[in-house]
Amino acid sequence: MRNRMIAGNWKMNKTYTEGVILAQGLAKELADGSGDVDVVVCPPAVDLKGVAEVIEQEAAPFALGAQNVYWEEKGAFTGETAPDMLTNVGVRYCIIGHSERRGYFGETDEDVNRKAKALMAHSLIPISCCGEPLEVREAGTHVDFVVDQIKKDTAGLTIEDPSAYVVAYEPIWAIGTGKTATADDAQEVCAAIRATLTEVFGATTADGIRILYGGSAKPENVAGFLDQRDVDGALVGGASLKADSFAAMVRAAM
Ligand code: PEP
């Protein structure tokens, strides 16, 4: 049994003050709880502590996620954030391998793999992103492309609790473009991801790992994705920046 997950990636949006206001708004929207749905918000690093305080003060039914991490414990890595620093401010999840980090900052599958290991060593839950660019989709090799990413991203990982590792399938051509994959497109790749996870970790573990869809998901279309057998939730960018639209997506998942 996999609990659904709705995770919001605020990206480089919301100052500290705006982030606190958004988190307060979300706490109000979700005052009646989120049922069995695991809700996660991933603000910019400087907002994490403020959002953590809102979660605590309001007993809000969502958890805190970061957008990036470095795999070393500490030291001369200017600008980076260690896993320990995340746990210390109440972070429980961390996005890794987002296509924007891969595309703009050169994050490789090997980096994603090291980050996953470092996070899990600190009991942080990776939300590990994968997904193909438009030219790969148009060439029809998207399934092979994503399967290869999953194999590299999970190499040598040990997963004892399947709820402690999350995959997000985000076709790059559908991120922030308003172009969504169809529910069938998402299911095709998510099923291939689960089959690959089965090869790597065995069926029991793979059956318990959440696979999210991301890419222009919004209140109007999220139900179609959630209906798919291998889609267990959504990673949401733009529509997570307003409390009402994000809460509507949580309610659609309940
Ligand atoms: C994302 O970047 O993770 C994302 C899914 O963005 P959007 O929902 O805006 O397409």
Side-chain angles (χ1 to χ4, degrees):
M1 169 70 188
R2 302 185 292 266
N3 279 359
R4 283 177 168 167
M5 173 177 286
I6 303 291
N9 175 10
W10 295 2
K11 308 192 182 186
M12 198 174 74
N13 295 293
K14 306 294 175 189
T15 63
Y16 180 91
T17 311
E18 291 166 345
V20 166
I21 291 169
L22 176 53
Q24 286 168 336
L26 188 60
K28 210 165 164 191
E29 286 279 347
L30 297 178
D32 292 335
S34 61
D36 288 336
V37 180
D38 288 337
V39 183
V40 182
V41 297
C42 303
V46 294
D47 298 2
L48 287 169
K49 178 81 174 118
V51 175
E53 282 168 7
V54 173
I55 292 172
E56 199 184 329
Q57 282 156 12
E58 311 287 333
F62 49 88
L64 190 60
Q67 296 177 17
N68 191 22
V69 68
Y70 194 54
W71 52 78
E72 295 287 353
E73 292 291 317
K74 60 163 71 174
F77 303 102
T78 302
E80 295 296 328
T81 309
D84 216 20
M85 296 170 178
L86 297 180
T87 52
N88 191 248
V89 292
V91 169
R92 291 184 41 213
Y93 295 83
C94 183
I95 297 170
I96 53 175
H98 192 279
S99 59
E100 287 151 16
R101 294 223 51 93
R102 291 177 189 259
Y104 298 136
F105 303 103
E107 191 163 313
T108 64
D109 286 310
E110 290 66 34
D111 295 339
V112 175
N113 179 260
R114 291 174 87 167
K115 289 181 179 192
K117 286 174 181 160
L119 289 168
M120 293 172 85
H122 288 267
S123 302
L124 285 156
I125 302 177
I127 300 176
S128 188
C129 301
C130 57
E132 79 285 358
L134 185 60
E135 62 274 17
V136 169
R137 167 66 59 164
E138 285 175 345
T141 52
H142 49 285
V143 171
D144 289 347
F145 183 94
V146 172
V147 164
D148 184 59
Q149 283 184 319
I150 295 289
K151 285 185 178 161
K152 289 176 175 157
D153 296 350
T154 58
L157 276 192
T158 305
I159 299 181
E160 271 153 26
D161 170 6
S163 68
Y165 186 79
V166 179
V167 175
Y169 167 56
E170 301 204 306
I172 299 171
W173 47 272
I175 296 181
T177 57
K179 252 189 222 179
T180 37
T182 65
D184 286 346
D185 290 336
Q187 170 57 21
E188 178 198 27
V189 180
C190 291
I193 292 171
R194 197 168 312 281
T196 310
L197 294 171
T198 303
E199 260 175 56
V200 176
F201 298 112
T204 310
T205 300
D207 282 349
I209 293 177
R210 267 84 60 90
I211 305 175
L212 315 182
Y213 168 76
S216 300
K218 46 188 184 230
E220 299 76 40
N221 64 17
V222 73
F225 293 107
L226 295 173
D227 277 349
Q228 302 305 305
R229 185 189 176 92
D230 289 295
V231 178
D232 305 307
L235 179 56
V236 185
S240 71
L241 296 175
K242 289 206 171 120
D244 56 353
S245 61
F246 190 62
M249 296 177 80
V250 173
R251 282 193 280 272
M254 284 168 69

